[in-house]
């Protein structure tokens, strides 16, 4: 799903309001280019087809959460954010999509957490970007023999996760089909994937931390290179199932834990593995109406060492969509 041309979508929605002129000509030209790209067939039509209609509408419900654990110098910390609920509406035009999201708890003022997702799924590769900023984290810190229960608002966390995969069997396998339905998987197929990933985050204490408690700053950055396998199983004309697993070996990391100004550099042992797993299901009432769900999990698996940082993230989504 490509979300980076929001202005183009807005122009399409208002093109009837403009008289014939440079702006409308530009809109028509953009529409022609999108249509030309949309009609390109670089895949095996026995296995893959375009979803009917050039316009898509979809309603999303999303639940997500993160956790981070750190240890060093005999001290340790564990933080978990609130499970974040999001409701979204999506509008698709050819291969472009615009998604507008809101968090129900935002209206009550009880939660200021923020999350942004960017997904780009052309035929040959996959790009997923997720950024989260949260102040709902709670947990504990064990510092110099003292156990401290951390309440919400005492810590601020940020996390960025980027995955880039190349799909080898792109002519028969559609990575998009179970997630965004620009394409339909007609027959079962799988593909080997190769890619690179980045997982990084920080946690720091805020001004809400009571006096007498230690200040904390935790930083974790990891770059991994790896590969895995993804498979779309077409159970019938109504059911599509997806499963994929991509392990990556961490080839670079920059981690540190700082408590009351005392910094400890992470000495995580090799190898460190990042696991990215997905599972999804789509049920088609007919080719133009469908419901579905999928879940994504990211986790770091490390050999236990004297100083280390562990990050985990998960997201689950349900949706109802139609093609016009």
């Amino acid at each position: 799903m490509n979300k980076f041309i929001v202005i183009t979508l807005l122009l399409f929605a208002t093109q009837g309001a403009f008289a014939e002129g440079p702006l409308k000509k530009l809109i028509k030209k953009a529409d022609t280019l999108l249509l030309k790209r949309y009609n390109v067939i670089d895949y095996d039509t026995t296995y893959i087809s375009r979803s009917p209609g050039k316009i898509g509408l979809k309603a999303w419900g999303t639940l997500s959460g993160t956790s981070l654990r750190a240890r060093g110098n005999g001290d340790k910390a564990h933080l978990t954010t609130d499970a974040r609920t999001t409701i979204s509406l999506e509008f698709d035009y050819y291969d472009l999509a615009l998604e507008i999201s809101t968090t129900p708890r935002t209206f009550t003022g009880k939660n200021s957490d923020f999350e942004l997702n960017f997904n780009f799924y052309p035929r040959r590769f996959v790009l997923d970007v997720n950024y989260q900023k949260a102040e709902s984290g709670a947990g504990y810190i064990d510092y110099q023999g003292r156990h401290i229960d951390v309440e919400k608002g005492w810590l601020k966390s940020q996390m960025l996760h980027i995955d880039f995969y190349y799909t080898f069997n792109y002519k028969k396998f559609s990575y998009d089909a179970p997630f965004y339905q620009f394409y339909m998987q007609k027959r079962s197929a799988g593909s080997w994937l190769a890619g690179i990933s980045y997982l990084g985050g920080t946690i720091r204490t805020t001004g809400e931390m009571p006096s007498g408690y230690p200040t904390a700053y935790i930083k974790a950055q990891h770059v991994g290179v790896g590969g895995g396998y993804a498979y779309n199983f077409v159970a019938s004309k109504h059911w599509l199932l997806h499963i994929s697993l991509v392990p990556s070996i961490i080839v670079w990391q920059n981690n540190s834990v700082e408590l009351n100004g005392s910094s400890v550099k992470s000495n995580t042992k090799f190898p460190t593995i990042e696991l990215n797993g997905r599972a999804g299901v789509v049920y088609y009432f007919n080719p133009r109406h469908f419901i579905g769900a999928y879940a994504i999990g990211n986790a770091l698996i490390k050999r236990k060492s004297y100083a280390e940082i562990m990050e985990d993230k998960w997201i689950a989504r349900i949706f109802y969509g139609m093609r016009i």
Side-chain angles (χ1 to χ4, degrees), residues 148-167:
I148 301 171
D149 290 319
V150 178
E151 298 182 8
K152 295 177 183 179
W154 292 7
L155 298 176
K156 178 185 294 186
S157 67
Q158 298 182 77
M159 184 173 289
L160 176 65
H161 187 197
I162 303 173
D163 286 314
F164 178 88
Y165 302 135
Y166 182 82
T167 305

Side-chain angles (χ1 to χ4, degrees), residues 1-10 13 56-58 60 88-93 95-101 182:
M1 185 175 68
N2 184 346
K3 301 179 181 178
F4 66 90
I5 313 184
V6 177
I7 295 177
T8 302
L9 290 174
L10 296 176
L57 300 174
K58 192 179 296 182
W60 291 91
S88 310
L89 293 176
E90 179 185 324
F91 172 76
D92 303 337
Y93 190 80
D95 282 334
L96 303 179
L98 174 65
E99 185 177 334
I100 302 174
S101 304
F182 288 119

Side-chain angles (χ1 to χ4, degrees), residues 29 52 79 82 94 97 131 139 141 146 173 220 224 241 250 298 316:
K29 185 174 182 180
L79 172 71
D82 282 348
Y94 293 121
Y131 171 77
I141 296 175
R146 182 184 180 188
F173 170 82
L241 307 176
I250 301 302
N298 303 103

Side-chain angles (χ1 to χ4, degrees), residues 189-247:
S191 176
W192 291 102
L193 307 173
I196 184 170
S197 64
Y198 170 84
L199 181 61
T202 62
I203 298 176
R204 66 175 71 243
T205 53
T206 70
E208 299 296 321
M209 177 74 77
S211 60
Y213 281 43
T215 60
Y217 176 73
I218 301 169
K219 179 177 70 174
Q221 295 177 299
H222 302 86
V223 173
V225 176
Y229 193 77
Y231 190 76
N232 287 340
F233 175 60
V234 181
S236 69
K237 66 178 182 180
H238 295 291
W239 289 99
L240 171 63
L241 307 176
H242 171 90
I243 189 168
S244 60
L245 182 64
V246 183

